[in-house]
Amino acid sequence: MNLEWQDFKWTLRCFANMYDLPISVCLSREDVNFPIFEIDHAKCQGRIALHGAQVLAWHPVDTAEVLYLSPQSHYTEGKAIRGGIPLCWPWFSAHASDPTMPSHGFARSRFWGLESVSETQEAVTFRFATKWRELAASVEIILGDTLEVRLTTLNMGEAHELLGGALHSYFRVSDISDISAEGLENSIYLDVLPPQQYKRQVGAVRIVEEFDANFSSDAVVRIIDAPLKRVVVVEKSGCPSTVVWNPWIDKARSMQDLPDEDYRKFLCVEPAVLHSDAITLAPGESYTFSTKIRLEAHEK
Ligand code: TA6
């Protein structure tokens, strides 16, 4: 067998990592300096980047991909990957008081430490960790016929610390104009777009223009996608709010890590702890917020 050196290194790395990684997990060959774990399990397939501890892809076996990932994403340290489930931590959107701080916090633009990977017949479980000042974060990602992301923060300091964040999930859709999101009916939301007004949601959410809404609701959201004959069910825990976002045409054109027409291919439904929901962690206290994603058939 004539193995190129690169292939040999990759094979060696996979073999070596086989020792640490369960049989359903291997390191992608794309870039050894930007580790991406590939999951091929009896229940699902998926991909997770060490950078941001970010789920990039997931789908139960015999189904179409559930998450959207931009083909123009950056894969360089310090830049957020566009798509999958970026972890916004330890705050959502702009920092409450320091404009020099990065939007959506630090978690999604740095490499995390891999603590463990394990598997059962039902799922593969990854655990990653990172730290920022006195806050330590650990994320547990459980991939099976459902996908669960559980982000726990521990205050390791001597003072009270504020915590916020979001699981900024990009859901792949057949076409943004053919889907709706149910579960937020009658909820109050802040329309983040100028002039920033509070509104009440009437009926299901349908996207016909740029939409950026912070709902004061922890309800289960169901993305109804008739062309794909499926419902994506987004459950959450520990998140008082839900952000729903689609950039639409003009904003998509201004985003160089997103193809101009790809606004049609995704809807973000984000379990969130907004500034207005901020959690105060006492020294030694921890808090977990999580999301669980599953599919249902949609017969109509
Ligand atoms: O999804 C809510 C939001 O805060 C939107 O306002 C939009 O900015 C989006 O996040 C994407 O943010 P990013 O920093 O990833 O470009």
Side-chain angles (χ1 to χ4, degrees), residues 110-247:
R110 58 167 52 177
F111 287 107
W112 287 49
L114 174 64
E115 291 200 312
S116 68
V117 194
S118 59
E119 83 172 78
T120 65
Q121 288 184 342
E122 295 309 310
V124 180
T125 300
F126 286 76
R127 287 182 180 81
F128 300 92
T130 194
K131 192 172 179 300
W132 181 71
R133 292 185 178 165
E134 302 302 332
L135 294 176
S138 61
V139 63
E140 185 179 50
I141 301 170
I142 307 165
L143 306 99
D145 53 15
T146 62
L147 171 62
E148 194 165 1
V149 179
R150 300 178 52 78
L151 180 53
T152 298
T153 303
L154 170 66
N155 178 0
M156 299 178 71
E158 304 294 321
H160 284 68
E161 298 286 347
L162 280 181
L163 171 66
L167 304 168
H168 195 302
S169 308
Y170 286 72
F171 293 100
R172 180 175 165 269
V173 298
S174 52
D175 186 289
I176 196 67
S177 299
D178 295 337
I179 60 104
S180 61
E182 297 179 350
L184 298 167
E185 295 80 354
N186 298 317
S187 298
I188 299 293
Y189 68 89
L190 173 64
D191 179 347
V192 177
L193 303 171
Q196 290 216 348
Q197 293 174 318
Y198 282 94
K199 301 175 179 176
R200 181 181 294 278
Q201 178 61 35
V202 178
V205 173
R206 286 178 175 78
I207 308 296
V208 296
E209 58 188 350
E210 183 177 356
F211 190 78
D212 193 349
N214 296 347
F215 285 87
S216 303
S217 168
D218 63 354
V220 176
V221 175
R222 297 163 58 82
I223 304 171
I224 314 297
D225 194 330
L228 279 178
K229 292 189 172 60
R230 76 179 184 193
V231 177
V232 180
V233 182
V234 185
E235 300 174 353
K236 62 207 73 162
S237 168
C239 299
S241 297
T242 304
V243 176
V244 179
W245 175 63
N246 182 277

Side-chain angles (χ1 to χ4, degrees), residues 17-36:
N17 277 294
M18 207 77 91
Y19 178 76
D20 299 322
L21 299 177
I23 196 72
S24 302
V25 180
C26 200
L27 265 178
S28 162
R29 307 181 56 171
E30 282 160 36
D31 178 353
V32 290
N33 299 309
F34 199 89
I36 291 176

Side-chain angles (χ1 to χ4, degrees), residues 80-83 86 88 92-94 102-104 108 166 168-170 192-193 210-214 243-247 251 255 257 268-270:
I81 301 168
R82 177 72 59 193
C88 302
F92 175 77
S93 193
S103 177
H104 293 328
R108 63 176 186 162
H168 195 302
S169 308
Y170 286 72
V192 177
L193 303 171
E210 183 177 356
F211 190 78
D212 193 349
N214 296 347
V243 176
V244 179
W245 175 63
N246 182 277
K251 178 134 190 189
M255 297 164 66
D257 60 352
C268 284
V269 176
E270 311 160 30

Side-chain angles (χ1 to χ4, degrees), residues 91 94-103 132-133:
W91 60 81
H95 186 274
S97 57
D98 183 347
T100 66
M101 290 292 187
S103 177
W132 181 71
R133 292 185 178 165

